[in-house]
């Protein structure tokens, strides 16, 4: 048998040959050069992989740091921008709030309680004006950290929100007060017009036959009708409508009063002229003592009726209780003769 046959049947390797050597029948490759080359190649590949991994890790870490710094800066910039925006909104809102509050105060000063139909509207405005405004001392600077900027922004936003709400309440309360003033003005205007209508109606009835020109009464009657139509109109929103109608009616009333005054003046002048005595005719008059007696009267060229004159009282029985008085003795005289004094 050959070597191969002996080895195959007995399992004994020929002497001088080791398993793995060339020519051996074990089928295993020689472990010398083949395994040594593989080991060298394997060690070189692992080192390369480690270097690549480390490089990737370092690159990732650097990128993470760069990204982190960029994100931090962006976050800080965003926080600063948001804080600045909140600060601008706060300052603008605070200015509006002050202006609105001043307007509310002026409205209160110009609107006493008796000018509003509903006093509750004015009280509401008073309470609103006393409410505290939103205020903060927060600022926004680049040297503040992101957290501080965010906190400042929140405080500014809160104060700005308070001020915006106050401005809205001011406007609502002011509008209600003005509306109440309008209602009161309408009511007062209508009442004033109705009062003048009543007075004008009374004047129209009382002035019949007492005016110098009846056209004034006719104009007053037409104006009263117009004023009544205005007073009964629905949906009036402007008190000037009542004011204009009242002024027109007052002018018509004045015209009638003026006409009454002219009529009264004319009647008085006519009455005065009727009671004024006529001046005496031309002639001569004589008064006094003549021819030893007292004479008084008028002497005219054409003669006149006898005129009663006073004479001294003649005492009867030598005494009189009315000594020195003037009494009517029933004597008379005619022009051309002298009265005779009777001596006691």
């Amino acid at each position: 048998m050959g070597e191969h046959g002996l080895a195959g049947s007995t399992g004994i390797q020929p002497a001088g040959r080791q398993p793995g050597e060339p020519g051996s029948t074990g089928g295993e490759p020689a472990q010398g050069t083949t395994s040594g080359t593989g080991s060298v190649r394997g060690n070189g590949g692992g080192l390369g992989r480690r270097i690549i991994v480390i490089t990737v890790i370092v690159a990732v870490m650097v990128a993470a740091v760069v990204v982190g710094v960029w994100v931090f800066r962006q976050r800080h910039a965003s926080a600063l921008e948001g804080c600045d925006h909140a600060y601008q909104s706060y300052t603008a809102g605070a200015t509006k709030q002050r202006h609105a509050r001043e307007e509310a105060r002026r409205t209160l000063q110009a609107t006493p309680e008796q000018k509003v139909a509903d006093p509750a509207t004015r009280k509401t405005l008073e309470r609103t004006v006393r409410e505290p405004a939103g205020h903060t001392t927060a600022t926004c600077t680049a040297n503040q950290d992101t957290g501080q900027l965010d906190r400042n922004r929140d405080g500014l936003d809160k104060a700005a929100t308070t001020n915006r709400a106050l401005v809205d309440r001011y406007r609502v309360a002011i509008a209600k007060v003005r509306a109440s003033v309008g209602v009161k003005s309408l009511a007062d205007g209508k009442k004033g017009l109705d009062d003048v209508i009543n007075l004008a109606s009374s004047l129209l009835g009382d002035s019949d036959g007492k005016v110098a020109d009846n056209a004034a009464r006719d104009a007053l009657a037409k104006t009263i009708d117009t004023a009544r139509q205005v007073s009964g109109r629905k949906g009036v929103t402007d008190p000037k409508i009542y004011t204009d109608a009242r002024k027109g009616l007052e002018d018509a009333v004045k015209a009638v009063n003026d006409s009454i005054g002219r009529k009264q003046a004319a009647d008085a002048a006519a009455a005065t002229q009727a009671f004024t005595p006529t001046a005496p005719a031309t002639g001569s008059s004589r008064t006094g003592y003549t021819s030893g007696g007292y004479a008084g009267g008028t002497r005219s060229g054409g003669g006149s009726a006898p005129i009663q004159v006073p004479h001294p009282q003649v005492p009867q029985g030598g005494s009189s209780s009315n000594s020195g008085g003037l009494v009517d003795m029933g004597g008379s005289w005619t022009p051309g003769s002298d009265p005779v004094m009777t001596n006691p």
Side-chain angles (χ1 to χ4, degrees), residues 22 37 68 98 133 139 196 207-208 214 228 230-231 248 250 283 309-310 328:
T37 303
R98 287 193 298 270
T139 58
V196 177
S207 63
D208 189 15
N214 205 53
R228 283 173 175 165
V230 173
S231 178
E250 288 174 343
V309 294
D328 186 4

Side-chain angles (χ1 to χ4, degrees), residues 114-126:
Q114 60 268 24
K115 283 191 175 183
V116 294
D118 183 7
T121 58
R122 192 178 186 280
K123 294 184 183 300
T124 299
L125 181 57
E126 288 178 344

Side-chain angles (χ1 to χ4, degrees), residues 179-325:
S180 187
V181 170
V183 172
K184 184 71 162 55
S185 298
L186 284 174
D188 291 346
K190 186 178 185 304
K191 183 179 183 302
L193 177 60
D194 291 340
D195 291 343
V196 177
I197 288 174
N198 294 333
L199 293 175
S201 299
S202 298
L203 177 63
L204 182 64
D206 295 341
S207 63
D208 189 15
K210 300 178 182 179
V211 293
D213 183 6
N214 205 53
R217 293 184 71 253
D218 294 339
L220 178 60
K222 292 179 181 178
T223 308
I224 290 173
D225 291 340
T226 301
R228 283 173 175 165
Q229 292 175 3
V230 173
S231 178
R233 188 181 303 174
K234 303 297 183 181
V236 176
T237 58
D238 187 0
K240 189 175 183 296
I241 294 177
Y242 295 128
T243 303
D244 292 344
R246 176 177 176 173
K247 185 179 184 305
L249 188 56
E250 288 174 343
D251 291 343
V253 167
K254 183 178 183 300
V256 171
N257 284 330
D258 291 345
S259 184
I260 292 174
R262 290 193 299 271
K263 178 72 164 54
Q264 291 175 346
D267 292 345
T272 301
Q273 184 176 7
F275 287 105
T276 301
T278 306
T282 58
S284 61
S285 63
R286 184 176 60 180
T287 304
Y289 287 96
T290 59
S291 303
Y294 179 83
T298 301
R299 178 175 293 177
S300 63
S304 63
I307 301 175
Q308 299 289 337
V309 294
H311 296 278
Q313 181 179 3
V314 180
Q316 300 295 329
S319 64
S320 172
S321 62
N322 194 21
S323 176

